[in-house]
Amino acid sequence: MDVSKFGEKFTQHSGITQLMGDLNDGLRNPDAIMLGGGNPAAIPEMLEYFKALSEEMIADGSMVQAMTNYDGPQGKNQFIESLAELYSQTYGWDISAENIVLTNGSQTAFFYLFNLFAGKRADGSHKKILLPLAPEYIGYADVGLEDDMFVSFHPEIELIEGRQFKYRIDFSSLNIDDSIGVICASRPTNPTGNVLTDSEISYLDELARLHNIPLIIDNAYGTPFPNIIFEDVKPFWNENTILCSSLSKLGLPGVRCGIIIANKEVVKAIANLNGILNLSPSGVGPALGNKMIVKNDLLKLSDEVIRPFYLNKVKRTVTELQQAIPDSRFRIHKPEGAIFLWLWFKDLPITTMELYKRLKDRGVLIVPGEYFFVGMQEEDSWAHRHECVRMNYVVDDNAMSKGIKIIAEEVEKAYQNA
Ligand SMILES: Cc1ncc(COP(=O)(O)O)c(C=O)c1O
């Protein structure tokens, strides 16, 4: 097929696409233990809730109303207004409906935002996206319309007792010059479960304002919903911050609803992009979300069902992993949020790609860590890049125990054969 440069870039079968296909193939093996994907957990209470809510919305006509009408390019008004009130009341932020725009999933928001603030400018300059700390969310890597869109930096590694560790931004190496068009960080972070501290965020905010560039905070797992965050940190927003949230990790990835909170100029720009690319964002997720806010269920379920579910699960999984793999070279990133654990096998004699293959042969799917160092130079020889893997902790306890046992065996084998 003879295609454009755009076609070449966006139809390529990148390493991660291949891997994701591979992970998906695992689904065909009914016994596979799927620790690779990013699907939120099927929390029985939430599934029941969504079923009852959909039935109620069918009965009162609001579901059919949402399915049979286009909203405006900014997204469903009622939901936007409810969100503005919720954020102002919960956090005291000075935001109105003009500060919020919806997208078809937050992945689309990153496509818009990255290409809005980075890439070629009319004056011939080329701006990049600064990821202050890698590893970062793999989903950012391929959304740039141009190549070479990211710059990222090694984190500092703080070793924590109980064979844990935590990444911190190394501000001494963070170099911001005219080539940077925007700063972006996920908080909590996929893949590591890290949560940037309040002081890291306020320093990033200062740097962003100093250089007159926006700071994007990817809040897909954060507060006030779905609230899969276990650290007591302050939610952050101001006129220079673009806060991206989503209904996905609440348990609704199928409705594709992303939420951007930003200043009015950015909101207008995104609404225009929506108009051109989608006419309007989907209304079904927003109709569900709006009902949840009106019924006072959104924050209640996030606090009382979702957060405790994941917290309980992560504690259990960390304990099991630590018991199954006693090797002192094994550490887990401190689980501060999100739905993943980031495992570090220091001095592992094989690459994590090889470990991935060996685990896959035994029916356990994880993601090798190499892919998450978005924006790092190819020639960077930092060994740590090849020593980590990401696993989710959302599968049921039985499958998790079996998976952990197999991971422990393969890791031990790899260390022993060194
Ligand atoms: C950190 C992060 N940001 C954004 C997304 C995109 O989510 P969605 O497009 O479903 O809103 C994900 C999905 O896994 C994620 O982990």
Side-chain angles (χ1 to χ4, degrees):
M1 185 167 64
D2 184 22
V3 297
S4 64
K5 270 186 95 163
F6 169 90
E8 273 171 30
K9 176 141 198 339
F10 285 94
T11 58
Q12 69 184 332
H13 207 58
S14 65
I16 189 63
T17 317
Q18 195 164 351
L19 188 75
M20 287 302 169
D22 214 20
L23 291 174
N24 209 28
D25 287 346
L27 285 172
R28 285 195 219 121
N29 167 2
D31 298 324
I33 301 170
M34 304 293 289
L35 307 179
N39 215 50
I43 305 175
E45 231 171 311
M46 292 306 295
L47 298 180
E48 274 306 309
Y49 178 84
F50 291 134
K51 185 165 173 279
L53 186 65
S54 316
E55 281 165 4
E56 185 184 323
M57 290 174 65
I58 294 280
D60 72 13
S62 54
M63 184 59 85
V64 172
Q65 211 278 342
M67 293 193 301
T68 52
N69 289 285
Y70 286 117
D71 293 311
Q74 198 181 332
K76 190 172 281 306
N77 290 338
Q78 298 97 313
F79 186 43
I80 289 178
E81 274 155 26
S82 300
L83 282 168
E85 204 179 309
L86 180 137
Y87 281 105
S88 337
Q89 276 178 3
T90 313
Y91 299 132
W93 295 342
D94 181 20
I95 59 168
S96 69
E98 286 172 297
N99 295 108
I100 300 179
V101 56
L102 309 180
T103 56
N104 286 331
S106 62
Q107 188 67 19
T108 302
F110 294 106
F111 174 76
Y112 290 167
L113 291 166
F114 289 171
N115 290 300
L116 194 57
F117 292 109
K120 224 189 210 123
R121 297 282 158 108
D123 65 4
S125 65
H126 182 273
K127 305 269 183 192
K128 293 191 180 188
I129 301 136
L130 173 78
L131 306 176
L133 190 164
E136 250 302 356
Y137 173 46
I138 181 71
Y140 300 151
D142 291 314
V143 302
L145 282 166
E146 295 163 34
D147 293 325
D148 195 21
M149 295 276 276
F150 295 93
V151 188
S152 67
F153 291 89
H154 292 191
E156 283 171 356
I157 298 180
E158 182 194 345
L159 300 182
I160 302 176
E161 61 178 17
R163 285 191 295 141
Q164 295 197 2
F165 69 105
K166 176 172 168 61
Y167 290 133
R168 290 184 185 276
I169 299 175
D170 180 2
F171 284 102
S172 67
S173 69
L174 210 65
N175 180 21
I176 303 188
D177 58 21
D178 284 354
S179 68
I180 303 297
V182 61
I183 303 175
C184 176
S186 59
R187 185 197 201 214
T189 307
N190 172 358
T192 57
N194 187 35
V195 172
L196 295 178
T197 62
D198 291 335
S199 62
E200 283 175 315
I201 286 288
S202 84
Y203 199 38
L204 285 179
D205 170 53
E206 258 176 56
L207 283 173
R209 282 185 289 123
L210 186 72
H211 291 87
N212 209 14
I213 54 176
L215 169 64
I216 301 175
I217 301 177
D218 180 350
N219 192 37
Y221 301 91
T223 53
F225 59 88
N227 205 17
I228 312 173
I229 179 163
F230 317 128
E231 287 295 291
D232 191 16
V233 294
K234 276 213 277 306
F236 188 89
W237 184 78
N238 62 28
E239 289 269 320
N240 194 51
T241 309
I242 302 173
L243 187 67
C244 298
S245 293
S246 167
L247 295 188
S248 294
K249 309 302 168 171
L250 198 67
L252 295 172
V255 301
R256 311 306 302 128
C257 178
I259 299 155
I260 298 178
I261 304 176
N263 67 43
K264 294 173 188 170
E265 202 184 358
V266 171
V267 165
K268 193 94 203 74
I270 300 295
N272 288 343
L273 276 155
N274 264 341
I276 292 169
L277 291 166
N278 291 305
L279 302 184
S280 76
S282 165
V284 173
L288 283 156
N290 189 50
K291 260 286 197 257
M292 292 178 79
I293 296 180
V294 171
K295 289 160 73 80
N296 279 328
D297 289 340
L298 184 62
L299 304 198
K300 194 165 179 276
L301 289 167
S302 299
D303 296 347
E304 295 176 10
V305 177
I306 297 173
R307 185 179 178 280
F309 175 90
Y310 284 102
L311 183 58
N312 184 29
K313 211 89 183 131
V314 79
K315 280 186 179 161
R316 190 191 161 102
T317 312
V318 166
T319 308
E320 253 188 277
L321 276 163
Q322 300 275 26
Q323 280 169 357
I325 313 175
D327 196 299
S328 62
R329 290 165 291 187
F330 166 58
R331 285 177 180 269
I332 303 176
H333 191 286
K334 187 174 174 219
E336 299 181 315
I339 61 176
F340 308 102
L341 285 170
W342 182 248
L343 316 182
W344 177 19
F345 303 106
K346 194 170 184 330
D347 302 327
L348 192 72
I350 55 170
T351 61
T352 54
M353 192 63 198
E354 177 59 27
L355 179 63
Y356 158 76
K357 285 183 189 149
R358 293 183 189 182
L359 289 172
K360 190 174 156 237
D361 287 345
R362 297 193 58 192
V364 177
L365 289 133
I366 47 104
V367 186
E370 278 93 348
Y371 292 103
F372 297 93
F373 291 84
V374 182
M376 221 163 252
Q377 301 299 316
E378 278 299 314
E379 56 278 11
D380 188 324
S381 59
W382 192 33
H384 185 77
R385 262 169 99 164
H386 307 284
E387 297 176 338
C388 301
V389 303
R390 187 193 81 174
M391 61 176 272
N392 69 47
Y393 59 87
V394 303
V395 301
D396 72 66
D397 294 343
N398 251 343
M400 182 58 83
S401 300
K402 277 192 210 152
I404 289 175
K405 187 165 172 285
I406 292 169
I407 295 173
E409 284 167 10
E410 288 303 323
V411 166
E412 195 185 334
K413 239 189 273 172
Y415 272 135
Q416 272 175 1
N417 293 341

